[in-house]
Amino acid sequence: AFKAAVLIQQWYRRYVARLEMRRRCTWRIFQSIEYACEQDQIKLHNFFSYLMDQFTPSSSKERDFISRMFVSGESYKEAELEKYCDYESIEVPDSYTGPRLSFPLLPDHATALLEAFKQKQQLHARYVLNLLHETRKHLKQLPNISHVSTCYSEEVTVCGDLHGQLDDLFLIFYKNGLPSPSKSYVFNGDFVDRGKQSLEILIILFTFLLIYPKEVHLNRGNHEDHMVNLRYGFTKEVMQKYKVHGKKILRMFQNVFCWLPLATLIDQKVLVIHGGISDTTDLDMLEKIQRDKFISVLRMKKRNELSAKPEMQAINGESKSGTDAAGNEAAPRLSLQPQSAQAPSTANRLEFSRWLRQTVQEQMDTCRRLVDISESESEELTCSSMVSLKDVDEPCWTRQEEWKQILDILWSDPMPQEGCRENKVRGGGCYFGPDVTEKFLEKYNLQFLIRSHECKQEGYEFCHNRKVLTIFSASNYYEIGSNRGAYVKLGPDLIPHFVQYQANKTAHLLTMTQRQGIPVVLISRVEESAFRALREKLFAHTSALISAFKAYDGDNTGRITLSNWATAVESVLRLGLPWRMLRPQLVRSTEDGMLEYKSWLDDLAMEQRSQEHIQSSLLEVIYRNRSNLETIFRIIDRDHSGLISFEEFQQTWKLFSSHMNIELTDDGINDLVRSIDFNKDGNIDFNEFLEAFRLVKQCQ
Amino acid sequence: VVAEIEKKITEAFEVFDRESNKTVDVREIGCIVRSLGCFPSEAEVHELLAKVGVEEPGGFVHLEKFLPVMTEVLLDKSYQPIPEDVLLHAFEALDENKCGYITKEDLVKYLTEE
């Protein structure tokens, strides 16, 4: 009987181990795709840099077109902003049954809002705008670094990323209680994007902020940034929910975001920031920066503003790439190296422009300070006014240094190795090591850091010898069952207590059951989702994969070994995934350990293809670049109408394809464009376009 | 063939390598070995760990040490599963009343008794 038990045990443990492996692989897939997606952001930046460096508009139309990409939004002075986003003239019909807000806000308003959102009601645009105006007024008085003390309220609750997942916020309030004079909260950024209820979360958080200003503290996250919002869903959400006033609302949010404080300090001992730190993070500088000048940490420079400067004119005249002080500074870390993904000819042009940059180094240094961060007209800096900034009383650090401080705070990630290096994966901020943390804590006499920004399976994770705590509050972030959310409570002893949760009952079951008996079906759901995303990615790289496979198939037999398959796939996709472990899920049939790669890729294509008459290579390209395309469309679509003209679409596509080195005839483009102009009225609804190719992301 | 096996082992190892520094917690070794297709008993896992050179339970295993030992295991095809019919016999052996099933409590009792 003993032997029997051992035997069964052997089988059982093997079963559990296999499931654990599958679970971890699934996690890896989601994570690597998420970060690879953020890497796309780098490519997008390079595309814009390329445009600035290389593109000479041949007509005034093209010039307008390009400049529109960079001059996103007219600049508003404060008074103009108020006028434009005025809410008082907006009438609220009697038929409106949602909550009505009056100011100053009271706790009853908050409960009314919570109730309304639970019933899936929507707050009227007038109240949204009113709320945003009041929020802005309040935030403007706050310092860059908020201070919280645990002696006034017994403990402080710190929450991490919420990413539009309202259910998680409800769960937190349910488990922990609403904010009140005896219940302090710090929300550590990334309230929006990806999830579908970013608006509701912001409305609730801002409401509580105004009702309990001493107890509720908000930090800015890297997603509180309209450039990021264009890509990751918040812009879309607002426009969908508020078709008439969406534009105004977005404008207000853009302004409110830049007034959010950058950090919170608890008892002078615990620093809460969204991303992390770098070896140059300077709290004194951070305290003094004018944070509202940094509307988007990812902004590109205004091309036309620079050419207005007489000094810059000369440079512009001399070299086409004069403005790459712009291209250089907007994201100094990003555009320094040409990406290896670009074709040599493009790379050569970048090389050339880099050389040109170097030859006008001196003037570049001066222009470097003209980094365009703000949109406001009154902030236009000429060289002479830059000089006057060097007053005796004023700190004389540059805009660029300030910008780097904020970028690092919002985008950095901890790493296990010592040192501090560029965060190339995200395209911004640093990877900082335990030594950087140690030095920083010592310098400012702190006990530990709390940050968010990274999804963690258990909702929280310590690193750097328990000196850095990551707290992540969006459960099931990648997929139902992928991870728990958590929040942390600190009392006067500053010892962290964690509470974990998961917003969905079946999901709770899913992660819990790792340790007990596991219904395989549930794991399969999450897994299937991950593999679907992975197969999409593989399909999008069909041509590159074929080339890679062919390299291993010298005799042109059409088959390669599974080992070579794994190596080839990694060399193309560069996701760092354990392909050999994933192979059984990706490759259905093999013969004697060899794979017929063409038919495998055909199978993949069959799953993805929707419209037969479009060239499959084109489809592949669109797939690969759909996020970027969507972002570009949204930038062009200034009035957020969802429509761009035929011509604009063609121009976008032409530029994009030349940058990506795609062979496409004019006929090819015309065919494509015609096929998606469903109304035949000369306007492209790009939502329809993306929809037509099933390019809109799964969550749609 | 050996190279391929080593790549497989390295991949599986890296999935559990939290800090990307080529070490895993010793408690995960059982999981890794099993996900590579082996069916060792707990005792056999301990033997393996001894070969790798880890004695205390709280330690870490380095890929360098793990790789050769695991490669040998895979080449020798150690820790193969007993066929399913034998597994069925095992269940039958525990089913004292011959009623065709074992309750969860009984199973847990048997598996957790030493």
Side-chain angles (χ1 to χ4, degrees):
Chain A
F2 175 69
K3 264 180 83 174
V6 170
L7 191 61
I8 295 174
Q9 215 189 45
Q10 275 177 310
W11 274 81
Y12 176 68
R13 284 182 193 263
R14 148 90 173 142
Y15 172 75
V16 171
R18 270 192 65 213
L19 282 168
E20 177 66 20
M21 178 58 92
R22 277 167 69 182
R23 195 174 63 84
R24 287 188 189 230
C25 284
T26 304
W27 182 260
R28 282 290 212 86
I29 293 175
F30 277 129
Q31 214 172 33
S32 66
I33 290 184
E34 179 189 15
Y35 293 154
C37 196
E38 291 185 344
Q39 223 172 33
D40 274 355
Q41 197 90 348
I42 304 178
K43 295 198 188 130
L44 194 62
H45 281 294
N46 283 331
F47 173 51
F48 285 130
S49 301
Y50 160 75
L51 284 179
M52 296 191 78
D53 286 349
Q54 309 304 334
F55 191 73
T56 317
S58 55
S59 69
S60 62
K61 245 192 196 163
E62 284 192 322
R63 198 178 6 253
D64 285 339
F65 178 68
I66 291 295
S67 66
R68 273 169 53 187
M69 279 210 208
F70 301 104
V71 185
S72 68
E74 303 90 47
S75 55
Y76 284 113
K77 293 203 186 73
E78 302 275 286
E80 283 174 9
L81 186 66
E82 301 227 343
K83 221 179 82 174
Y84 172 66
C85 299
D86 147 70
Y87 54 88
E88 288 183 13
S89 57
I90 304 179
E91 298 242 335
V92 182
D94 291 330
S95 54
Y96 170 72
T97 54
R100 291 168 188 260
L101 304 180
S102 59
F103 293 79
L105 289 173
L106 299 167
D108 280 348
H109 291 122
T111 30
L113 276 172
L114 287 170
E115 204 39 54
F117 290 152
K118 284 201 180 117
Q119 310 293 332
K120 311 269 193 252
Q121 285 179 321
Q122 194 168 295
L123 184 65
H124 196 276
R126 181 207 169 99
Y127 299 122
V128 177
L129 286 168
N130 199 352
L131 175 65
L132 289 175
H133 275 277
E134 296 296 319
T135 304
R136 191 165 132 265
K137 269 199 294 201
H138 171 76
L139 289 175
K140 278 171 80 168
Q141 315 159 40
L142 298 180
N144 292 347
I145 303 183
S146 308
H147 288 262
V148 180
S149 175
T150 54
C151 53
Y152 295 129
S153 58
E154 285 116 40
E155 51 186 11
V156 179
T157 306
V158 181
C159 300
D161 294 23
L162 285 167
H163 280 302
Q165 299 189 183
L166 186 60
D167 287 340
D168 284 313
L169 185 60
F170 282 151
L171 202 49
I172 295 174
F173 285 156
Y174 176 70
K175 287 171 98 73
N176 198 45
L178 297 177
S180 73
S182 57
K183 197 153 288 257
S184 289
Y185 272 92
V186 178
F187 289 95
N188 199 13
D190 276 11
F191 318 118
V192 303
D193 284 333
R194 299 193 205 268
K196 297 296 197 47
Q197 291 167 297
S198 306
L199 259 174
E200 285 79 5
I201 288 191
L202 285 174
I203 292 172
I204 292 175
L205 291 181
F206 289 161
T207 302
F208 277 117
L209 177 71
L210 294 176
I211 299 175
Y212 301 111
K214 291 211 211 56
E215 287 80 21
V216 176
H217 305 266
L218 306 179
N219 284 346
R220 188 175 184 183
N222 63 304
H223 277 259
E224 276 69 57
D225 180 328
H226 75 281
M227 285 292 277
V228 179
N229 297 151
L230 279 168
R231 187 195 184 80
Y232 289 104
F234 181 55
T235 311
K236 208 190 295 188
E237 182 189 328
V238 174
M239 291 314 296
Q240 274 173 1
K241 289 181 178 169
Y242 291 96
K243 297 193 162 55
V244 178
H245 299 287
K247 229 180 119 194
K248 282 187 193 174
I249 293 177
L250 280 172
R251 215 76 191 68
M252 281 303 295
F253 271 122
Q254 187 180 318
N255 194 271
V256 168
F257 284 164
C258 70
W259 278 110
L260 286 168
L262 300 171
T264 300
L265 198 54
I266 304 178
D267 286 354
Q268 306 285 358
K269 286 284 166 207
V270 179
L271 185 68
V272 188
I273 57 239
H274 176 74
I277 56 175
S278 76
D279 53 0
T280 56
T281 299
D282 180 345
L283 288 183
D284 300 310
M285 200 195 287
L286 273 171
E287 272 184 326
K288 301 205 179 81
I289 292 176
Q290 289 177 296
R291 67 181 189 269
D292 64 303
K293 299 286 169 263
F294 298 86
I295 294 189
S296 165
V297 190
L298 292 181
R299 268 291 302 282
M300 288 295 127
K301 292 184 64 100
K302 270 193 204 169
R303 184 174 153 116
N304 64 352
E305 183 182 310
L306 286 169
S307 44
K309 303 280 168 302
E311 297 84 356
M312 288 306 288
Q313 273 312 10
I315 299 161
N316 273 346
E318 270 180 70
S319 69
K320 282 199 298 182
S321 39
T323 50
D324 39 76
N328 198 10
E329 295 333 302
R333 290 200 157 156
L334 302 182
S335 54
L336 284 177
Q337 315 269 318
Q339 290 295 308
S340 51
Q342 290 168 0
S345 55
T346 317
N348 285 340
R349 273 180 281 170
L350 280 176
E351 290 290 312
F352 175 70
S353 75
R354 258 211 321 213
W355 169 79
L356 278 175
R357 262 183 256 154
Q358 278 157 18
T359 60
V360 289
Q361 191 57 46
E362 227 182 86
Q363 285 148 316
M364 286 301 133
D365 281 338
T366 322
C367 298
R368 198 156 285 161
R369 285 190 226 111
L370 294 175
V371 170
D372 170 43
I373 302 293
S374 87
E375 284 182 315
S376 154
E377 294 283 348
S378 62
E379 296 314 311
E380 255 177 32
L381 296 167
T382 59
C383 279
S384 50
S385 74
M386 245 346 271
V387 170
S388 71
L389 261 192
K390 293 191 180 186
D391 282 342
V392 178
D393 299 334
E394 288 292 321
C396 58
W397 51 65
T398 62
R399 268 290 164 79
Q400 188 194 339
E401 287 169 324
E402 293 180 348
W403 171 76
K404 181 180 191 298
Q405 289 289 325
I406 298 189
L407 188 67
D408 286 340
I409 292 277
L410 299 184
W411 283 81
S412 299
D413 290 315
M415 64 174 176
Q417 299 83 14
E418 305 221 318
C420 187
R421 54 185 172 84
E422 247 180 85
N423 192 330
K424 288 208 174 72
V425 173
R426 297 220 194 233
C430 300
Y431 283 121
F432 62 100
D435 52 332
V436 177
T437 302
E438 193 59 48
K439 251 201 206 141
F440 183 81
L441 293 175
E442 212 187 288
K443 179 174 179 189
Y444 294 106
N445 204 7
L446 302 169
Q447 270 180 30
F448 60 96
L449 299 175
I450 301 183
R451 44 89 63 174
S452 304
H453 198 39
E454 281 182 299
C455 182
K456 295 294 177 192
Q457 199 136 21
E458 295 297 319
Y460 72 94
E461 194 173 275
F462 277 107
C463 66
H464 292 191
N465 215 6
R466 289 184 83 90
K467 298 280 174 65
V468 174
L469 168 64
T470 303
I471 189 87
F472 194 83
S473 301
S475 66
N476 306 325
Y477 180 57
Y478 293 126
E479 172 59 82
I480 301 210
S482 63
N483 65 288
R484 290 184 153 119
Y487 55 87
V488 59
K489 297 158 75 91
L490 296 173
D493 54 5
L494 294 181
I495 295 180
H497 295 278
F498 299 97
V499 178
Q500 295 166 298
Y501 53 84
Q502 208 147 5
N504 184 309
K505 240 200 189 153
T506 29
H508 176 82
L509 193 62
L510 184 58
T511 350
M512 269 306 289
T513 54
Q514 308 306 336
R515 286 145 226 169
Q516 293 156 6
I518 305 165
V520 183
V521 175
L522 284 176
I523 289 205
S524 294
R525 261 209 66 194
V526 187
E527 210 181 17
E528 186 48 49
S529 182
F531 278 103
R532 209 182 311 137
L534 199 53
R535 276 192 286 264
E536 248 185 52
K537 264 217 162 333
L538 286 166
F539 166 70
H541 290 84
T542 303
S543 315
L545 283 170
I546 291 189
S547 313
F549 292 151
K550 282 212 170 115
Y552 287 102
D553 181 21
D555 303 331
N556 220 2
T557 60
R559 289 149 40 110
I560 52 167
T561 66
L562 292 171
S563 172
N564 289 336
W565 171 86
T567 322
V569 172
E570 176 58 26
S571 72
V572 170
L573 254 61
R574 293 185 192 283
L575 289 172
L577 290 174
W579 294 103
R580 288 171 188 82
M581 304 248 78
L582 303 175
R583 198 223 356 114
Q585 296 272 24
L586 295 170
V587 176
R588 309 277 174 204
S589 57
T590 60
E591 272 177 41
D592 355 292
M594 303 279 282
L595 167 70
E596 291 200 18
Y597 52 88
K598 282 238 178 76
S599 55
W600 175 64
L601 286 167
D602 283 341
D603 286 342
L604 275 182
M606 286 227 293
E607 288 172 34
Q608 312 283 340
R609 191 172 303 163
S610 57
Q611 294 200 292
E612 299 299 321
H613 63 279
I614 305 292
Q615 297 172 332
S616 62
S617 61
L618 180 58
L619 193 60
E620 189 194 322
V621 167
I622 294 175
Y623 258 82
R624 184 164 46 237
N625 296 291
R626 66 189 186 279
S627 304
N628 287 337
L629 275 174
E630 188 175 344
T631 307
I632 295 175
F633 286 148
R634 290 198 191 285
I635 294 176
I636 296 173
D637 175 28
R638 304 289 291 294
D639 56 7
H640 297 292
S641 61
L643 299 175
I644 59 175
S645 78
F646 226 73
E647 274 173 8
E648 287 167 341
F649 180 83
Q650 277 181 315
Q651 280 167 333
T652 310
W653 188 251
K654 250 167 66 181
L655 288 168
F656 200 75
S657 52
S658 79
H659 169 70
M660 306 302 291
N661 257 291
I662 302 161
E663 278 299 312
L664 198 59
T665 61
D666 277 348
D667 281 345
I669 302 181
N670 288 335
D671 279 341
L672 174 65
V673 170
R674 239 176 276 126
S675 72
I676 51 170
D677 178 15
F678 300 119
N679 319 347
K680 307 285 174 252
D681 64 348
N683 277 319
I684 311 267
D685 181 331
F686 59 82
N687 285 316
E688 279 182 34
F689 164 59
L690 297 173
E691 189 75 52
F693 289 96
R694 269 201 273 134
L695 294 175
V696 175
K697 283 183 203 153
Q698 261 183 342
C699 57
Q700 210 73 356
Chain B
V1 171
V2 174
E4 184 53 21
I5 288 183
E6 287 187 341
K7 277 193 202 149
K8 244 186 132 175
I9 297 172
T10 309
E11 261 191 9
F13 192 90
E14 280 173 356
V15 174
F16 287 83
D17 178 5
R18 286 183 174 279
E19 305 206 335
S20 306
N21 56 359
K22 306 239 183 283
T23 60
V24 302
D25 192 312
V26 72
R27 288 163 292 182
E28 318 260 41
I29 290 293
C31 212
I32 297 176
V33 173
R34 289 178 174 111
S35 61
L36 286 165
C38 304
F39 287 71
S41 66
E42 275 306 286
E44 287 167 334
V45 172
H46 287 304
E47 270 175 35
L48 192 83
L49 282 173
K51 264 196 213 159
V52 173
V54 177
E55 275 90 33
E56 354 82 57
F60 284 89
V61 177
H62 207 280
L63 178 61
E64 276 169 11
K65 292 203 177 144
F66 180 69
L67 194 58
V69 176
M70 194 62 214
T71 310
E72 214 187 300
V73 165
L74 288 181
L75 284 173
D76 293 343
K77 298 200 198 287
S78 328
Y79 313 134
Q80 284 294 291
I82 320 281
E84 283 180 21
D85 47 353
V86 180
L87 182 65
L88 187 58
H89 281 312
F91 275 103
E92 285 169 359
L94 295 181
D95 178 12
E96 288 168 345
N97 307 332
K98 305 287 171 229
C99 45
Y101 63 83
I102 317 178
T103 65
K104 185 176 115 180
E105 289 76 27
D106 283 343
L107 188 61
V108 169
K109 200 182 70 177
Y110 282 121
L111 292 182
T112 51
E113 268 172 10
E114 249 314 305

